Amino acid sequence: MASTELYDALVEVCRDRRTSREFDPDVEVPREHFDMILEAARHAPSGANTQPWHYVVVTEPEAKAAMADYFIAEASRRAKLGMKFPTPNYRGLATAPGVIVVIADFRWINAFPVLNDGSELDALYKQNAERILLQSVAASTMSAHLAAAALGYGVWWVTAIGQENAQSELKPLLGVPEDLAIIDIVVFGKPLKPPYKRWKKTMDEIRSFETYNADLFMDQKAIETWIKETRHKVMFRDESRID
Ligand SMILES: Cc1cc2nc3c(=O)[nH]c(=O)nc-3n(C[C@H](O)[C@H](O)[C@H](O)COP(=O)(O)O)c2cc1C
């Protein structure tokens, strides 16, 4: 029987990866750790092997503080819109020792199956192509998160996608060309508080054999109830604010 040593090490990293949102600012991330983390990201699979990602390592305190300010302002915009999303405290971004901004190049969707004739069918293929691109960048980003976790860091996945504000405010700060999109920030460091393991679905809840186990299907109403009653409890323990 083949040894499972490597698998065991990998699963331990997957199992023990934990989100932290506050880091010890005095424990620096050595330069080589950034490369070790991005070495994992570099080998990720991607649609048509396009590798449509770029990573900007940010070490300047002013840039980190400006990013934190952006997310804090965005959280308060969402609160005013009545989104009722449990908002984390983004202050930790300003002093996080590890900050890597994830950039996606959506022009690569043309490398996926698209018609490019402006038709309705093309719009569907384009939508699919965007999903391929997002999944590709997420695969690479996840590899970075696992590598950071393997180095003993607490990790924080911060999403910046989709908001025009995020693009117009953050891109100039980092000299990101207009054609590209900032989609996430990988934030990591030594957690200030011990990170805790969050609720995960059990194996029986996420897997069926041969055909989808209909007992597991949640209807729309059950999902709405989960969002209302459970979401905030599984996202945070004590640091959240329900807007
Ligand atoms: C695609 C994606 C986007 C996320 N975006 C944010 C975010 O914008 N802000 C944040 O505080 N956490 C974000 N998270 C972190 C999740 O809240 C966290 O992974 C989840 O609560 C589970 O906790 P765990 O990572 O400790 O398992 C994101 C995670 C993923 C995978």
Side-chain angles (χ1 to χ4, degrees), residues 17-19 21 88 90 156-159 198 200 234-235:
R17 177 207 56 79
R18 275 152 212 217
T19 293
R21 294 185 173 90
Y90 282 102
W156 186 10
W157 189 310
V158 175
T159 324
R198 286 174 178 80
K200 298 292 167 191
V234 302
M235 284 176 74

Side-chain angles (χ1 to χ4, degrees), residues 83-86 226-227 229-236:
M83 262 188 205
K84 301 206 183 318
F85 187 77
W226 187 95
I227 293 170
E229 294 173 4
T230 311
R231 179 178 61 182
H232 58 286
K233 294 185 213 154
V234 302
M235 284 176 74
F236 310 111

